[in-house]
Amino acid sequence: MSAQLVVTRGGTTSRITLALLAFAVIVLAATPWFFGVGGSGRAVALLVYVLLAVMWNALAGFAGLVSIGQTLFFGVAAYTTIRLSNAGLDPYLAILASVAIGAVLGYVTSLFMLSLKDGEFAIGMWVLSSLAHLCVNLDPLIQGETGTSLISLNGYAIETRSSITLWLALVLTLAVLAALFALLRSPTGAAITAVRDDELGARSIGVNVIRTKRIVFVLAATGTAAAGALWLASNLNFQPRAFFGVHWTAYMLFMVLVGGLGRIEGALIGAVLFFVIETFFASYGAWYLVGLGGVAVFFALVLPNGLWGWIGPRLPGEAIPTGYIINKSKT
Amino acid sequence: MSTLDIRDLQASHGQLRAVHGVSLSVKPGEMLFVLGANGAGKTTLLRSIAGDHRAEAGSVRLSGVDITGLAAHHRARSGLALVPEGRRLFPNMTVRENLALGRSTSREGPWTIEAIYEAFPNLAKLDHAPAGKLSGGEQQAVAIGRALMGDPVAIILDEVSLGLSPAAVDFAYDALKRVRDMGIALLVVEQDLNRALHTADDLMVMCEGHVTLHATPARTSLNALAAASFGHDEGETA
Amino acid sequence: MISQLIGAVLLGGYYAVLATGLAFMFSVMNIINLAHGALIVLSAYGLYVLGGMMGLPIAIPIMIIVMFVVGLALHALILARASKGGELLPLLATFGLSIILDNLMFQVFGADSLSLAPLVGDLSWASFELPGFIFVGKLSVYTLIAAVAVIAGLEWLLRRTTLGHRIQATSQDRATARLLGIDTARTAAIATGLALATGVIAATALGLRTAWGPYAGSAQLLFAFEAVVIGGMGSLWRVLWGAMILALAQSLAAMIHPQGFLIGGHLAFLLAVFWRLRGGAFSLNRLLGREVRT
């Protein structure tokens, strides 16, 4: 009797998760017919939160990079969307172009920012975001904090516009999620996981830590840029403070810490939870933010692995399988 | 009564058990050597005794008082000093400042910086030198002096001769013999079996977390020690 | 031009006093406290309330004691726990704390801008006259003196006192410090308390020189951080030079473009980062001249 090792990458839990995700995608895609323009707007908000949470989680959870200034990519993408559509480009093409610009900006930024450690990187990104904010304010089109709107989007009827924006948001979110999933399952993904678990150890077995971090950083920049451009398309108004504001970082921190650092599932749960909380409590203004901060600190100190850190181990197998499952089958 | 009395100490690194129920005792003015290959669990044993590593089971008694539940700094204040592997001086502080930090135990005793300089005359002229600039042997002397400054009743030393020149090792052991003669209990981890055999009052060999040999120098040999280091029982365990 | 130069040097004094607490805390705890700015603004509100009741000269020492105790509590409740979980958690926790503090202060004190200037008569606009009709504000001169005094005091404490040596030992090698009998948790708590206590001096300068609102903390944190990075490492004195360079860069940029003030500071920060890429030998870990163990 010899034991044979059978290597699989999924299981029942992951099939159920896939079914749930597919169902969610169908419901979101059908939102314009069931919930109208308002519903589509909320659906875009949810997708933007998902993008922000998943990307910030990839950055903090996988690359070990806490950034206070991801608003750099969020705000710049919204700004370039305004600028490009003002120059005559179709607004939806402008959004796609801004996502590409976000990727390039991410790459350029990574060339010098990744040499900073922990807290230096965190605030250094904040300085960059603040610098971009100040420069955007200098643009005569923006007029400081007065801001402007994505006027050219008015060329579409409101129903058409809200539906297209939602579907574009859905496509971009799925594309970014798929890219992250593929990345994590690739050989680079093993390197990322190694860096996450033990940076020194990963370095000692020959993992190129900076390259690995750069890949995650550029992906996070791209996804966050997509979120910024979509937020603009959904809300039309561009006021620099509303895009570069540090409250976005607070949202990302909340979603990721509550959901679970270092797991895609955690980020998804965090985003949905944040969406629900925001729907009910956003009207409480500053107290709402006090609550978000408080819950985030509580999770950081008491449950650093978040809700998924509690749920995940209680499920048979992984929900979003990025590793390998090795079973011994006797033949 | 033993100064240091360890009973059935167990300690692990994660899932891996490093120390399996080790017992030992050291009397005042006695020098017990713990020998063994790398990874035998010696350092984990010492760190668990000093409170720098959490033991899972077992007890640590110092002069008859159970200190198992105390944090590391409280154990130090009870009179248990550890001279860690690599000396771990504070490199940008001077010799005098490093020695003065030893007083953090707030214990009453005969040791002052001047007394240390009398015991280690070569340190006196290095008074204001940064500890990081000293030779390995000088650093070892400062580390022993720093431990004495806390007026301990027992000193644990990890890898005393590691990285030292032969002359520096001789000097360090001369110093340790004088410390022993003052009535302080010494627990020493050493790789050099020959040195241990000629210096120790009592010997213990560990392998894979177990004690494989426990004997006085008169009743064992270099071969027996070497064999026990690799887990071969030569029938000499006490 | 000369008066602008003098102005920039004096502004550097303000940034230095702002940055010292941040640098001190990093050097002794290896924590970049993202709530540093919010805690300074909190101190400013404390000074405003107490100063209104009993005058600033009494309010300042009381607030120093209060913030020292707040520092002990901050360490016990948040930092000690967070720093056990790796490098990320202290950042996340202190950022969360800054969000809480910012918005709590908004709820309690409202959006209005407050100032401590009315509490000190004419100090905030009085000036010394130098030869050549150059006027320098008394307040900024006193701020610079305070910055030098705070840095000198902390340097003396770290390098010359038993407590300072214990703080250094705790920051450099916590395990060995404990084995020597040092209560490292207590030492780290005291260091946190000291960092927050120096923040009261910064808060006094902040409240006297400008009006501030509940969300002023993040700007102060950025100034402090930029001063620390530009200054580079070795001792707290370098924070002073970093603060001066930051203020000079800002003043220079403001001369070029009316809205260039903040941009100039950020660019100086970026230049410092580039410099470090080139030089490579420059890191926050060197704040106490700490060498990588070989």
Side-chain angles (χ1 to χ4, degrees), chain B residues 64-130:
Chain B
V65 180
D66 191 340
I67 57 167
T68 318
L70 295 185
H73 63 276
H74 285 301
R75 295 191 195 197
R77 291 172 186 192
S78 311
L80 180 63
L82 186 137
V83 177
E85 182 182 342
R87 279 75 71 181
R88 302 273 208 112
L89 300 180
F90 297 100
N92 55 345
M93 289 188 218
T94 64
V95 167
R96 176 174 284 269
E97 287 165 350
N98 267 284
L99 290 174
L101 273 176
R103 288 234 55 94
S104 302
T105 55
S106 321
R107 289 170 62 81
E108 297 290 325
W111 290 102
T112 61
I113 290 178
E114 278 58 44
I116 299 289
Y117 287 164
E118 255 172 58
F120 302 93
N122 62 330
L123 291 186
K125 60 181 185 299
L126 298 167
D127 186 39
H128 278 298

Side-chain angles (χ1 to χ4, degrees), chain C residues 28-192:
Chain C
V28 301
M29 310 261 307
N30 294 318
I31 287 176
I32 293 195
N33 176 14
L34 295 181
H36 180 69
L39 286 163
I40 285 175
V41 173
L42 179 70
S43 306
Y45 279 114
L47 289 171
Y48 180 83
V49 172
L50 288 179
M53 292 193 287
M54 54 190 79
L56 216 44
I58 302 173
I60 291 172
I62 292 180
M63 271 313 287
I64 286 179
I65 295 168
V66 169
M67 291 311 286
F68 182 82
V69 174
V70 170
L72 299 183
L74 175 68
H75 180 268
L77 296 178
I78 295 184
L79 299 181
R81 227 191 148 102
S83 45
K84 277 182 202 140
E87 295 93 10
L88 298 189
L89 283 186
L91 288 172
L92 301 175
T94 54
F95 180 72
L97 178 66
S98 77
I99 300 285
I100 297 174
L101 286 177
D102 281 356
N103 292 289
L104 267 184
M105 291 188 289
F106 174 81
Q107 284 295 345
V108 175
F109 297 102
D112 295 344
S113 291
L114 301 180
S115 171
L116 297 177
L119 296 174
V120 292
D122 63 355
L123 177 65
S124 51
W125 40 269
S127 55
F128 297 111
E129 187 184 349
L130 300 183
F133 294 105
I134 294 171
F135 292 89
V136 294
K138 285 187 177 175
L139 176 65
S140 41
V141 173
Y142 295 151
T143 304
L144 179 59
I145 294 171
V148 171
V150 166
I151 293 174
L154 286 179
E155 278 284 315
W156 173 81
L157 176 92
L158 276 178
R159 292 177 201 277
R160 296 273 171 269
T161 66
T162 306
L163 174 64
H165 292 148
R166 287 184 188 169
I167 289 175
Q168 283 196 55
T170 301
S171 81
Q172 288 169 27
D173 189 343
R174 203 165 273 226
T176 302
R178 267 197 290 266
L179 292 174
L180 293 176
I182 297 172
D183 186 341
T184 52
R186 186 166 156 270
T187 308
I190 291 174
T192 311

Side-chain angles (χ1 to χ4, degrees), chain B residues 215-235:
Chain B
T216 56
R219 297 186 53 194
T220 187
S221 66
L222 209 52
N223 287 337
L225 290 176
S229 298
F230 296 101
H232 306 301
D233 194 345
E234 300 240 321

Side-chain angles (χ1 to χ4, degrees), chain A residues 8-84:
Chain A
T8 53
R9 305 204 72 164
T12 316
T13 309
S14 65
R15 279 192 286 276
I16 294 173
T17 310
L18 189 65
L20 279 174
L21 284 178
F23 179 71
V25 168
I26 291 166
V27 169
L28 284 170
T31 301
W33 292 292
F34 292 111
F35 302 103
V37 172
S40 301
R42 293 304 292 153
V44 173
L46 174 61
L47 289 167
V48 164
Y49 298 155
V50 166
L51 274 173
L52 291 179
V54 171
M55 293 296 98
W56 205 75
N57 187 28
L59 201 57
F62 294 124
L65 297 165
V66 169
S67 166
I68 307 296
Q70 287 309 92
T71 44
L72 169 67
F73 306 109
F74 192 80
V76 166
Y79 169 69
T80 54
T81 306
I82 290 273
R83 261 290 163 196
L84 289 172

Side-chain angles (χ1 to χ4, degrees), chain A residues 120-145:
Chain A
E120 298 174 274
F121 172 81
I123 316 189
M125 287 302 298
W126 194 356
V127 172
L128 286 186
S129 171
S130 171
L131 181 61
H133 182 180
L134 291 165
C135 292
V136 165
N137 279 2
L138 291 180
D139 186 334
L141 181 70
I142 310 298
Q143 298 173 57
E145 288 300 337

